[in-house]
């Protein structure tokens, strides 16, 4: 299968210097590595041209964010498989082959991903995706190996390939035909949650999503936005609400409408008590902007639900937050 490894870059020259060479060296012969530059103002493009002439460089005219940036870059490429890779990911030899093999042997798979370990603590799972992602009934994501901020050590406990609800956009392999048929990422997300939204839409149309732990990569994380950034808090809250409105079943959507205002209010108040006024305001801005999009989201929901072929797997029919508060700090104690 013709495979393209695509790295979306925005002012990430330092990360390209550290990791791009390893990506080029790690992929099999015939796999093209592409850097799609999101209107960087640093020397990223010059670095790629001068030091990695075999890497294809796509220059976008401005920063379109993760979602639309990838949509535009992948729209300019051919191939059977697209492997989306963050610029801050270290790729050991042999990481790509298990992903391609899984897609070749299982035509019903729409997306697969490797196990993510922490670059800083190489025996621990990494927050962004660990060993496969899931979601609870209120829309809160969690992973095999990560519940909220609680990260497990990787002792092989999640080394079985398994269908899951979502896989991380930090290292995300998908079929080109599936990506295009679904319209790619929702461009209005800009960044954060777009891969979960896409995986949900894939499953509603009958595709499966799977983690392949025989492939392992090491992710730095937080290279673009810090974890506690008010912008990241805003995007995560807003996009999570958008995704739930578009994709959730009527019963799940009703539950979210009743409970989530209270849980998000508690989150906002916790930021305020920590003296983080900007984070407090970010939660309310997210709700304001979400509610202002009702008409557009309703149209998207109608289109998505009218094309539904099956129900997704991997939705935990309970509250991850409650399980965590009562001692469910590992995936094995939840599912």
């Amino acid at each position: 299968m013709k495979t393209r490894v695509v790295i979306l870059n925005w002012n990430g020259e330092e990360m390209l210097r550290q990791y791009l060479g390893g990506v080029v060296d790690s992929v099999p012969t015939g796999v093209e590595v592409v850097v799609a530059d999101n209107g960087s103002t640093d020397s990223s493009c010059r670095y790629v041209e001068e030091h990695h002439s075999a890497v294809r460089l796509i220059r976008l005219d401005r920063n379109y964010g993760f979602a639309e940036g990838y949509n535009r870059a992948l729209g300019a490429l051919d191939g059977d498989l697209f492997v989306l890779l963050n610029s801050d990911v270290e790729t050991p030899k042999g990481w790509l082959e298990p992903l391609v093999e899984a897609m070749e042997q299982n035509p019903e798979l729409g997306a697969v991903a490797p196990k993510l370990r922490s670059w800083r603590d190489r025996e621990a799972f990494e927050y962004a995706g660990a060993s496969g992602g899931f979601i609870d009934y209120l829309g809160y994501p969690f992973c095999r190996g990560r519940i909220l901020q609680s990260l497990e050590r990787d002792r092989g406990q999640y080394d079985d390939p398994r269908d899951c609800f979502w896989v991380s956009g930090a290292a995300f392999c998908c079929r080109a035909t599936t990506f295009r048929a679904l319209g790619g990422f929702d461009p209005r997300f800009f960044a954060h949650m777009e891969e979960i939204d896409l995986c949900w839409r894939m499953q509603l149309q009958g595709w499966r999503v799977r983690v392949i732990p025989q492939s392992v990569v090491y992710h730095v994380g937080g290279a673009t936005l810090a974890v506690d950034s008010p912008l990241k808090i805003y995007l995560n809250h807003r996009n999570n609400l958008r995704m739930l409105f578009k994709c959730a079943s009527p019963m799940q959507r009703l539950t979210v409408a009743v409970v989530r205002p209270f849980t998000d209010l508690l989150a906002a108040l916790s930021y305020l008590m920590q003296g983080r006024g900007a984070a407090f305001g970010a939660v309310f801005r997210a709700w304001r902007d979400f509610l202002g999009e009702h008409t557009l989201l309703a149209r998207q929901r109608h289109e998505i639900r009218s094309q539904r072929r099956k129900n997704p797997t991997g939705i935990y029919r309970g509250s991850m937050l409650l399980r965590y508060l009562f001692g469910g700090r590992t995936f094995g104690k939840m599912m």
Side-chain angles (χ1 to χ4, degrees), residues 19 22-27 85 89-95 216-218:
Y19 299 109
V23 175
V24 173
D25 292 341
S26 71
V27 299
L85 192 68
V89 173
E90 179 185 312
T91 53
K93 287 281 188 181
W95 73 279
V216 181
V217 299
Y218 297 88

Side-chain angles (χ1 to χ4, degrees), residues 22-296:
V23 175
V24 173
D25 292 341
S26 71
V27 299
T29 302
V31 173
E32 184 179 37
V33 178
V34 180
V35 170
D37 186 75
N38 232 345
S40 292
T41 56
D42 66 0
S43 301
S44 296
C45 292
R46 186 168 70 241
Y47 168 75
V48 174
E49 290 172 333
E50 292 179 354
H51 296 276
H52 296 283
S53 57
V55 172
R56 189 196 300 197
L57 179 64
I58 297 174
R59 294 175 181 258
L60 302 177
D61 62 324
R62 61 182 176 86
N63 181 11
Y64 289 94
F66 187 98
E68 180 65 0
Y70 263 123
N71 287 348
R72 288 174 178 261
L74 301 186
L77 298 172
D78 63 353
D80 303 303
L81 296 179
F82 294 140
V83 182
L84 284 54
L85 192 68
N86 278 15
S87 60
D88 60 343
V89 173
E90 179 185 312
T91 53
K93 287 281 188 181
W95 73 279
L96 185 57
E97 290 88 333
L99 305 180
V100 175
E101 182 180 353
M103 296 295 263
E104 288 177 336
Q105 295 181 355
N106 301 276
E108 71 282 1
L109 288 175
V112 297
K115 175 167 64 177
L116 287 182
R117 278 185 177 174
S118 170
W119 182 85
R120 296 181 177 88
D121 183 356
R122 299 176 77 84
E123 297 303 315
F125 288 107
E126 205 279 320
Y127 179 91
S131 192
F134 295 81
I135 198 168
D136 78 357
Y137 211 62
L138 295 177
Y140 294 109
F142 60 98
C143 306
R144 291 202 304 174
R146 189 268 294 174
I147 309 293
L148 293 179
Q149 302 297 325
S150 180
L151 292 162
E152 297 181 48
R153 311 294 292 177
D154 181 8
R155 299 183 176 87
Q157 67 270 43
Y158 306 124
D159 274 356
D160 54 312
R162 172 171 173 172
D163 284 8
C164 52
F165 188 77
W166 59 274
V167 288
S168 173
F172 181 97
C173 174
C174 64
R175 295 188 192 278
T177 53
T178 307
F179 188 87
R180 293 191 178 107
L182 291 168
F185 295 121
D186 186 329
R188 298 177 66 256
F189 276 43
F190 189 78
H192 297 295
M193 298 275 176
E194 66 286 310
E195 78 270 50
I196 306 179
D197 173 75
L198 180 60
C199 287
W200 200 337
R201 290 186 283 122
M202 280 184 185
Q203 291 184 79
L204 288 171
Q205 290 210 6
W207 295 97
R208 289 165 50 206
V209 175
R210 171 162 279 219
V211 61
I212 310 295
Q214 286 64 43
S215 169
V216 181
V217 299
Y218 297 88
H219 185 215
V220 176
T224 304
L225 282 175
V227 173
D228 60 352
S229 161
L231 177 56
K232 178 173 282 194
I233 291 168
Y234 165 78
L235 291 170
N236 275 326
H237 276 81
R238 184 198 65 181
N239 293 346
N240 184 266
L241 293 167
R242 283 175 170 175
M243 173 182 70
L244 287 160
F245 190 94
K246 292 191 307 178
C247 300
S249 69
M251 182 57 69
Q252 185 181 6
R253 187 164 156 248
L254 176 62
T255 304
V256 168
V258 172
V259 180
R260 274 293 294 272
F262 296 101
T263 58
D264 284 4
L265 176 60
L266 289 174
L269 291 174
S270 73
Y271 294 136
L272 189 62
M273 292 174 65
Q274 296 168 41
R276 298 168 61 188
F280 171 82
V283 177
F284 287 93
R285 286 194 299 113
W287 269 92
R288 178 201 65 194
D289 292 350
F290 160 67
L291 293 172
E293 300 169 334
H294 181 272
T295 301
L296 174 61

